Amino acid sequence: MRSYKIIVVLALALFAVACSKGDGVVRPEFKEYIHSVGCEGCCQVDIKYQRITNSDASTALASIDEQNYRNTFGRYSLDVMDVEASASAMADGYQSMCSGGDSNGYYYDLDQRAFMTRDDKVVCYETYIESYTGGAHGGNIMLYECFDLASGAIYDFDYLFEDVWGEAMRKLVYDKLVATYGVLLIEGVEELPMSTSLLITDTGILFVYQPYEVACFAAGILAVEVSDEQIKGTGAPLVWLE
């Protein structure tokens, strides 16, 4: 019996090491939650959401999981986190648009995935949404949000277009957009807004612009990557490396 207990203790210790980084920071364990209701051609709602199953292992993971929940479900999120209830309420909200069983072709598809970048120091969520609630065509958006694994804090990139380096950063992104996609709807670099969807890649920052933000709908979702070295060249601090 004694040897059995020793084996169990060693196994638990190895499990703890496997689930944490060398600096003691706990890695997230993701599990996909799926909620699907309706019928194709009527009012179909499909939600694929990423939970952190070991969010109770650290305050940072709990914070990341909570923030992603509220960012994903918005007005359908509850004071006490409840993914099932929020997904059901979101689905009901879209299905309420269908009346009398009409085959109006409404749909809402939220597809989320989670992954790590920067030597597993940054947690990122990619949320792709397609929907149609009437009109000439549906819509689609690609949202990225990144979190520091050690602290659980979300990265805010607004500062990149502000301060003394703001003009140089805006021109850097604008020139890349023009070189990649050609003519934009905006008339010049000074009109380029800060993207609300940015991804920390392993080598830089991906700026993502939704349809109509800077180009016509037909251009789709626009994305350009700016390297760490290019950003550093503008004088902007690289907060994700600090």
Side-chain angles (χ1 to χ4, degrees):
M1 179 64 72
R2 178 180 175 81
S3 62
Y4 172 76
K5 289 182 178 179
I6 291 175
I7 292 174
V8 171
V9 171
L10 288 174
L12 290 174
L14 290 172
F15 178 78
V17 171
C19 293
S20 65
K21 292 169 59 66
D23 53 10
V25 177
V26 183
R27 297 175 184 269
E29 298 172 6
F30 299 106
K31 183 177 181 180
E32 187 175 80
Y33 169 80
I34 298 177
H35 185 89
S36 181
V37 294
C39 59
E40 187 175 350
C42 177
C43 194
Q44 179 69 31
V45 177
D46 293 295
I47 298 170
K48 295 180 181 178
Y49 170 82
Q50 298 297 326
R51 286 171 158 168
I52 298 180
T53 58
N54 62 332
S55 60
D56 58 348
S58 74
T59 55
L61 288 183
S63 177
I64 294 171
D65 199 37
E66 176 82 15
Q67 290 178 79
N68 180 55
Y69 164 72
R70 302 203 177 281
N71 292 340
T72 301
F73 293 106
R75 63 190 179 92
Y76 297 106
S77 61
L78 305 175
D79 292 339
V80 177
M81 184 175 173
D82 189 329
V83 174
E84 290 85 352
S86 293
S88 180
M90 177 180 281
D92 289 345
Y94 280 92
Q95 289 218 306
S96 66
M97 299 178 186
C98 300
S99 60
D102 295 336
S103 297
N104 44 37
Y106 289 175
Y107 63 86
Y108 179 85
D109 187 356
L110 184 154
D111 191 354
Q112 185 175 88
R113 70 184 186 99
F115 54 94
M116 310 281 288
T117 64
R118 300 288 172 153
D119 295 324
D120 292 348
K121 294 179 180 178
V122 177
V123 180
C124 296
Y125 291 91
E126 175 190 275
T127 306
Y128 179 68
I129 300 173
E130 286 191 47
S131 64
Y132 175 71
T133 56
H137 54 71
N140 62 324
I141 58 174
M142 177 72 80
L143 302 174
Y144 286 105
E145 288 175 326
C146 294
F147 301 82
D148 175 57
L149 179 58
S151 67
I154 191 170
Y155 284 97
D156 183 349
F157 299 99
D158 285 350
Y159 80 95
L160 288 174
F161 278 13
E162 300 170 352
D163 219 306
V164 295
W165 53 76
E167 184 176 342
M169 270 299 308
R170 182 176 275 106
K171 186 176 188 306
L172 179 60
V173 177
Y174 177 82
D175 288 346
K176 279 184 171 286
L177 284 168
V178 172
T180 304
Y181 298 100
V183 179
L184 304 178
L185 285 179
I186 56 178
E187 295 184 357
V189 59
E190 66 281 354
E191 294 186 7
L192 180 68
M194 166 52 69
S195 170
T196 56
S197 179
L198 295 99
L199 170 67
I200 299 176
T201 69
D202 284 325
T203 57
I205 298 294
L206 185 72
F207 286 74
V208 180
Y209 288 92
Q210 315 303 335
Y212 289 130
E213 279 193 314
V214 296
C216 64
F217 179 81
I221 297 170
L222 279 56
V224 292
E225 183 173 0
V226 180
S227 70
D228 286 350
E229 291 73 19
Q230 291 172 320
I231 296 173
K232 187 177 181 180
T234 69
L238 310 180
V239 298
W240 50 95
L241 295 182
E242 296 177 358

